[in-house]
């Protein structure tokens, strides 16, 4: 099986909302990080080098492509090499959507802290930079922060971004699922009830905690309790496990 995003990963929820609004016809430049695994969700079309998602998006727009261009970049990558690209996009009047996937760490390479975490590499508290202020300082007017696990809110924010032009930035803020589990333990467990009709909408979401048993979906012990599958289910057949 090819590698996939972890159970409960906030990026999966963000990509789901993104794809729901912009569809398969949009162009999705991305960057280097664990979120590159969004390729399985149809939301990663390019991956070249750190920070390239924004500059590739600007180049595609300037080339005359009239499709929606929605790029994604991680929080640590944005701070490392994404800011110059964003300034360039604003300066050259690009028409793109930039999604900053802020999971509060440098997840792919071992959960190292960065200036957006408020903690130094030695574990000491330090100044925590604001992504919102940085983005506005680059000249972006449409700046929205979403909770990826709230699909209704996320989809609405993406719809608003789709209906306006210019450089738009959406900051998807949700702690890395592995780090969340380490710090606070598992959230509430979910289960599929007998009202499941086997539509496989939750299976298509791609979470490793949801499997198909031949007749209906089943949620296994990998579930971290993010609750996104319950929001996707059209028959309201996914519930919190009663304790």
């Amino acid at each position: 099986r090819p590698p996939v995003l972890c159970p409960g990963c906030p990026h999966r929820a963000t990509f789901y909302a993104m794809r729901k609004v912009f569809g398969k016809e949009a162009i999705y430049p991305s960057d280097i990080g664990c979120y590159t695994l969004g390729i399985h969700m149809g939301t990663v079309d390019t991956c070249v080098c750190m920070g390239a998602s924004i500059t590739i998006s600007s180049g595609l727009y300037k080339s005359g492509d009239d499709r929606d261009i929605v790029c994604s970049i991680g929080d640590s990558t944005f701070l490392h090499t994404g800011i110059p690209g964003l300034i360039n996009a604003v300066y050259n009047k690009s028409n793109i959507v930039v999604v900053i996937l802020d999971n509060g760490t440098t997840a792919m390479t071992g959960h190292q802290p960065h200036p957006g975490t408020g903690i130094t590499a030695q574990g000491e508290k330090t100044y925590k930079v604001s992504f919102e202020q940085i983005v506005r300082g680059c000249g972006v007017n449409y700046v929205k922060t979403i909770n990826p696990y709230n699909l209704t809110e996320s989809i609405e924010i993406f719809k608003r971004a789709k209906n306006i032009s210019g450089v738009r930035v959406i900051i998807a803020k949700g702690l890395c699922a592995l780090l969340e589990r380490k710090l606070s333990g598992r959230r509430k467990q979910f289960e599929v009830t007998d009202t499941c009709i086997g539509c496989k909408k939750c299976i298509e979401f791609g979470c490793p905690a949801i499997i198909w048993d031949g007749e209906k979906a089943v949620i296994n012990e990998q579930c971290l309790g993010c609750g996104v599958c319950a929001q996707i289910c059209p028959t309201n057949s996914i519930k919190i496990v009663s304790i």
Side-chain angles (χ1 to χ4, degrees), residues 8-11 13 147-151 154 174-177 187 226-228 231:
C9 177
H11 300 339
N147 171 8
Y149 299 126
N150 186 334
L151 279 185
S154 299
L175 191 63
C176 167
R187 301 184 186 96
C226 72
V228 177
Q231 299 174 61

Side-chain angles (χ1 to χ4, degrees), residues 28-176:
Y28 298 102
S30 193
D31 231 292
I32 295 178
C34 52
Y35 50 90
T36 312
L37 293 171
I39 189 171
H40 303 302
M41 301 183 72
T43 51
V44 173
D45 290 327
T46 68
C47 178
V48 178
C49 61
M50 292 181 72
S53 61
I54 301 177
T55 50
I56 285 176
S57 296
S58 298
L60 287 169
Y61 172 69
K62 289 298 180 180
S63 73
D65 201 308
D66 60 359
R67 288 175 290 177
D68 289 318
I69 302 171
V70 188
C71 69
S72 54
I73 186 170
D75 45 353
S76 57
T77 305
F78 176 74
L79 293 173
H80 188 65
T81 50
I83 298 172
L86 183 62
I87 294 172
N88 177 72
V90 174
Y91 177 72
N92 287 295
K93 300 181 179 181
S94 297
N95 187 30
I96 63 174
V97 177
V98 178
V99 182
I100 300 174
L101 301 164
D102 180 10
N103 64 357
T105 187
T106 312
M108 185 179 71
T109 54
H111 295 116
Q112 297 87 350
H114 58 66
T117 65
I119 301 173
T120 68
Q122 288 74 36
E124 301 172 351
K125 288 187 177 181
T126 185
Y127 179 76
K128 182 179 180 179
V129 303
S130 166
F131 287 98
E132 291 86 352
Q133 291 182 18
I134 290 174
V135 170
R136 292 190 185 279
C138 292
V140 179
N141 293 320
Y142 186 90
V143 184
K144 300 292 182 182
T145 299
I146 63 173
N147 171 8
Y149 299 126
N150 186 334
L151 279 185
T152 300
E153 175 195 51
S154 299
I155 290 172
E156 179 58 32
I157 294 297
F158 275 113
K159 284 182 178 178
R160 292 182 199 171
K162 181 179 174 63
N163 292 327
I164 60 177
S165 58
V167 178
R168 293 138 285 164
V169 174
I170 296 173
I171 303 167
K173 190 179 293 291
L175 191 63
C176 167

Side-chain angles (χ1 to χ4, degrees), residues 210-233:
I210 309 173
I211 59 176
W212 182 254
D213 72 352
E215 296 182 0
K216 70 171 190 174
V218 175
I219 297 177
N220 61 34
E221 66 281 355
Q222 295 186 65
C223 175
L224 291 181
C226 72
V228 177
C229 58
Q231 299 174 61
I232 293 173
C233 179

